[in-house]
Amino acid sequence: DDWQERGAAVSVRQEVDANGKTVSRFIKKGVRDFSFGNTLGEGSYSTVVFATDRQTLKEYAIKILDKRHIIKEKKVKYVNIEKDTLNRLTEHPGIVRLYYTFQDERSLYFVLDLCKGGELLGVLKRMSTFDEECTKFYGAQILDTIDYMHKRGVIHRDLKPENVLLDHQMHVKITDFGTAKILKTARPSESTSSIPNIDSTELPEEERASSFVGTAEYVSPELLTDKNACKASDLWAFGCIIYQLLAGRPPFKAGNEYQTFQKIVGLEYEFPIGFPPVARDLVERLLVLDPARRLQIEHIKNHEFFDGVTWGTDMWKQKAPRLK
Ligand SMILES: Nc1ncnc2c1ncn2[C@@H]1O[C@H](COP(=O)(O)OP(=O)(O)OP(=O)(O)O)[C@@H](O)[C@H]1O
Ligand SMILES: O=C(O)[C@@H]1CCC(=O)N(CCc2ccc(Cl)cc2)[C@H]1c1ccccc1Cl
């Protein structure tokens, strides 16, 4: 209808009115409701621009996708997956929140949380390595967010420091869900991850995901050997991230993608001298070739490396440690 054409989309927000009644407020947001600022970054199919809501003055990052380019590159599927995934993951501080989507004749617009801290990769590069305290803080926030995703039947499939953004308080905001997998049996209670030693190949069809391959350095061995990603694949990537924060480089990196894949399936990696032993024990229990034998989330939370972490909402109120 005309709202779509004028770049407006209707979205509903529940509000409590003066006498405590919950009412639905129809908010139609469009291009003209925002004043656009600097470009924050460019993707292969997108441009992310700083924007301010003209009425509320709230700041956002608006991801703008060119329809012609998306269609030409056959990425329409990814656009829908990103929207559907973000619409499913709305109540967690560690996920970049999608507030509105709208379109005009040329583009699609995703109004997202503004992450002023940029990418975790950028911060790591400036620091060269993180100390244990910083690794523990960021590792715990990433793990808590993976736990939330998996409980809602979402496998990210491309976790890496570039996709871990930071907000103004330097807290984690995971992004880039266009290549995520939404598992059909996404009932929070039933998750195969609670059944020990289930081999990924024994998972029912909907628990396994195929076709997409993530970023070479973080790809799990099961994805390379039997083309299936499962929840444990995100925990392999998590192991690579913990290693990278402390070592300053990912565990599997070679001259080209093929050589990197060989190192992964051969589990060819070493720890640098001085790598903290407790963190080493954790990484060794995550970088396990068989996904069924890889440490599961509950056990990771109880690992000595995360001693003292109060899992859940409280840990998101903590001040981020000064990056030293
Ligand atoms: N919510 C956000 N707040 C601040 N910066 C962001 C936000 N989302 C993305 N960016 C930055 O904008 C750039 C483009 O991000 P985008 O997600 O559009 O593409 P990408 O995923 O980085 O690239 P590709 O699509 O090729 O994987 C990235 O450098 C990212 O750091
Ligand atoms: O699913 C939705 O929320 C609407 C439904 C109506 C609609 O037309 N669109 C856009 C569909 C679309 C997707 C990709 C391209 Cl390249 C062009 C149009 C969808 C849309 C609107 C704004 C932003 C994203 C999307 Cl997928």
Side-chain angles (χ1 to χ4, degrees):
D1 57 11
D2 69 308
W3 280 346
Q4 298 288 3
E5 269 52 65
R6 279 194 296 110
V10 179
S11 57
V12 187
R13 186 170 58 204
Q14 308 297 333
E15 280 177 359
V16 179
D17 67 11
N19 38 29
K21 219 157 62 60
T22 304
V23 290
S24 298
R25 290 259 190 276
F26 283 90
I27 326 156
K28 67 181 190 337
K29 290 285 177 191
V31 179
R32 287 203 296 277
D33 294 302
F34 298 91
S35 61
F36 290 82
N38 295 336
T39 293
L40 297 167
E42 311 267 351
S44 325
Y45 315 99
S46 49
T47 303
V48 179
V49 184
F50 175 90
T52 315
D53 182 318
R54 291 183 193 282
Q55 279 107 329
T56 65
L57 297 185
K58 276 184 76 174
E59 298 179 331
Y60 295 99
I62 299 188
K63 185 168 181 170
I64 308 171
L65 301 112
D66 178 87
K67 288 180 182 176
R68 267 168 27 85
H69 185 49
I70 298 275
I71 292 167
K72 187 161 52 67
E73 303 288 321
K74 299 187 176 39
K75 296 290 171 189
V76 177
K77 181 167 62 91
Y78 290 104
V79 171
N80 285 301
I81 290 171
E82 181 156 36
K83 181 182 58 70
D84 295 345
T85 318
L86 287 175
N87 281 333
R88 181 190 278 250
L89 304 174
T90 51
E91 294 106 35
H92 195 279
I95 306 270
V96 169
R97 174 104 184 267
L98 173 64
Y99 294 88
Y100 316 101
T101 58
F102 48 82
Q103 61 179 314
D104 56 23
E105 56 292 331
R106 257 169 55 117
S107 310
L108 301 174
Y109 299 83
F110 287 66
V111 181
L112 302 161
D113 272 322
L114 173 64
C115 299
K116 290 187 168 178
E119 299 176 0
L120 183 63
L121 181 70
V123 175
L124 178 62
K125 285 199 165 143
R126 286 196 294 280
M127 310 285 302
S128 74
T129 61
F130 276 16
D131 65 14
E132 279 185 86
E133 191 204 352
C134 289
T135 302
K136 184 167 157 179
F137 176 85
Y138 286 103
Q141 291 204 340
I142 294 167
L143 186 69
D144 194 59
T145 310
I146 294 172
D147 192 13
Y148 169 78
M149 272 181 228
H150 286 184
K151 285 198 166 101
R152 272 150 195 77
V154 173
I155 309 176
H156 187 284
R157 299 202 295 179
D158 196 14
L159 286 174
K160 51 182 178 178
E162 294 94 314
N163 287 336
V164 179
L165 302 184
L166 300 164
D167 65 12
H168 61 292
Q169 293 176 306
M170 295 307 272
H171 281 192
V172 156
K173 291 271 181 205
I174 293 179
T175 188
D176 221 351
F177 286 87
T179 49
K181 184 75 192 172
I182 302 179
L183 297 173
K184 292 184 205 85
T185 57
R187 282 184 297 282
S189 53
E190 276 168 49
S191 67
T192 48
S193 66
S194 58
I195 306 163
N197 303 329
I198 177 166
D199 180 84
S200 76
T201 48
E202 290 157 21
L203 291 175
E205 188 45 45
E206 69 273 12
E207 292 286 285
R208 293 181 299 155
S210 57
S211 85
F212 168 74
V213 172
T215 305
E217 287 78 11
Y218 307 88
V219 165
S220 60
E222 62 271 13
L223 198 70
L224 295 170
T225 49
D226 57 2
K227 290 264 163 289
N228 293 310
C230 52
K231 290 179 178 176
S233 308
D234 280 344
L235 298 177
W236 171 278
F238 179 70
C240 293
I241 292 170
I242 296 294
Y243 176 104
Q244 183 174 355
L245 294 181
L246 289 163
R249 59 174 173 80
F252 308 100
K253 185 144 188 67
N256 62 51
E257 283 203 353
Y258 181 76
Q259 288 167 345
T260 301
F261 292 157
Q262 279 185 306
K263 284 180 177 277
I264 291 168
V265 297
L267 204 60
E268 291 167 37
Y269 78 105
E270 301 90 25
F271 291 93
I273 308 281
F275 196 93
V278 173
R280 172 169 179 149
D281 181 78
L282 173 62
V283 171
E284 284 172 343
R285 295 172 191 278
L286 287 166
L287 300 186
V288 171
L289 292 179
D290 179 354
R293 294 171 39 74
R294 214 167 286 157
L295 219 47
Q296 294 172 8
I297 291 183
E298 280 321 305
H299 302 134
I300 304 170
K301 288 184 174 180
N302 295 327
H303 190 278
E304 189 189 344
F305 181 71
F306 288 114
D307 268 3
V309 172
T310 45
W311 298 97
T313 42
D314 284 6
M315 77 184 219
W316 291 87
K317 293 176 188 137
Q318 254 195 18
K319 243 168 71 62
R322 214 173 46 73
L323 291 157
K324 45 189 184 296

